[in-house]
Amino acid sequence: MDRRLTAWMAMGLSTAAMMACSVAVAQPASEHERALQACVAEADDHLRLQCYDRAMQRSAVAVSPSSRPPSGVTASSPVPNPPTASAPPVAASPSPVSASAPPPAASPPPVAASPPPRAALPPAGIPAAPPPAPAPQAEQSFGLPPPPAPRPAARSMTAEVTWVSVLPQGVLRVRLANDQEWEGVDSSSAEFPLRAGDSVTVKPASLGSFLMTGSESGHRSIRVRRIR
């Protein structure tokens, strides 16, 4: 504590001597000298040290070069700004073109045309239908008599019975002289009175079905379907 106080007192006296010799800062030195004299008169060591600290801080602020205005310029006169030269306009540089641009996308390969659908083949054992005959040209049919009109569909069919049988399913099967075979659609046909040599008549009924009537069955008939 005493060593620090002694150092401060020596520095204060040295600074006071230097400030007294300077003419440019006569007013701040006089104030600093009075402050140091007040510190010397302080009897308490702790308060005297604080007084020296405050005096040195005020002295450093008073003689700081940055706080003094430049020569020839007063504190109240504004400092003119130096003229600034306008920079010439800079032309916008063109955007660089990348030398590694991606190559154009390759066109997709052509799609092969799908083959035409094949015609459905008939089941095994059934001969395929012959292709339709080409229509005669007008020159070929010129002068010929007109073709005969198509015959109307038969409303009934009458034939002789050549064979009669009752199947294990309990239905009647009949074979006719024209090589057609007919079969009953339910088990009630097994009781139909019919034998070989009889004459039967088949007529169309509702919903695409057919009715068979025998020459010896009177007004009785059964519902049948053709199987051959």
Side-chain angles (χ1 to χ4, degrees):
M1 184 71 168
D2 295 338
R3 185 180 301 174
R4 185 178 177 186
L5 180 60
T6 304
W8 275 113
M9 291 178 62
M11 186 179 298
L13 295 176
S14 176
T15 305
M18 292 175 62
M19 297 298 290
C21 296
S22 178
V23 179
V25 291
Q27 183 65 24
S30 176
E31 294 179 0
H32 184 63
E33 183 179 359
R34 289 195 298 271
L36 292 178
Q37 291 176 358
C39 294
V40 172
E42 181 64 49
D44 187 84
D45 295 341
H46 182 68
L47 297 179
R48 189 183 307 111
L49 180 60
Q50 292 182 356
C51 179
Y52 280 125
D53 289 341
R54 290 193 298 270
M56 292 305 297
Q57 291 178 0
R58 287 195 296 269
S59 176
V61 172
V63 299
S64 176
S66 59
S67 62
R68 291 181 295 178
S71 176
V73 179
T74 61
S76 60
S77 59
V79 179
N81 295 326
T84 58
S86 59
V90 180
S93 60
S95 59
V97 179
S98 176
S100 59
S107 58
V111 180
S114 58
R118 300 178 59 184
L121 299 177
I126 300 179
Q137 299 181 359
E139 293 82 359
Q140 296 178 356
S141 62
F142 180 75
L144 296 178
R151 298 177 60 182
R155 293 184 175 272
S156 64
M157 184 271 301
T158 302
E160 182 182 350
V161 178
T162 60
W163 175 79
V164 179
S165 176
V166 177
L167 302 180
Q169 295 85 353
V171 295
L172 181 70
R173 179 172 292 183
V174 179
R175 183 178 299 166
L176 305 179
N178 57 7
D179 205 25
Q180 295 182 5
E181 288 188 10
W182 294 79
E183 183 180 272
V185 298
D186 52 32
S187 59
S188 63
S189 61
E191 303 175 358
F192 188 69
L194 192 63
R195 61 180 183 272
D198 290 348
S199 177
V200 294
T201 300
V202 181
K203 297 180 179 180
S206 61
L207 303 177
S209 61
F210 295 89
L211 293 176
M212 176 180 287
T213 304
S215 57
E216 301 298 331
S217 63
H219 298 287
R220 186 179 177 185
S221 60
I222 59 174
R223 197 173 297 274
V224 294
R225 62 172 174 265
R226 183 176 175 178
I227 60 174
R228 192 173 70 116

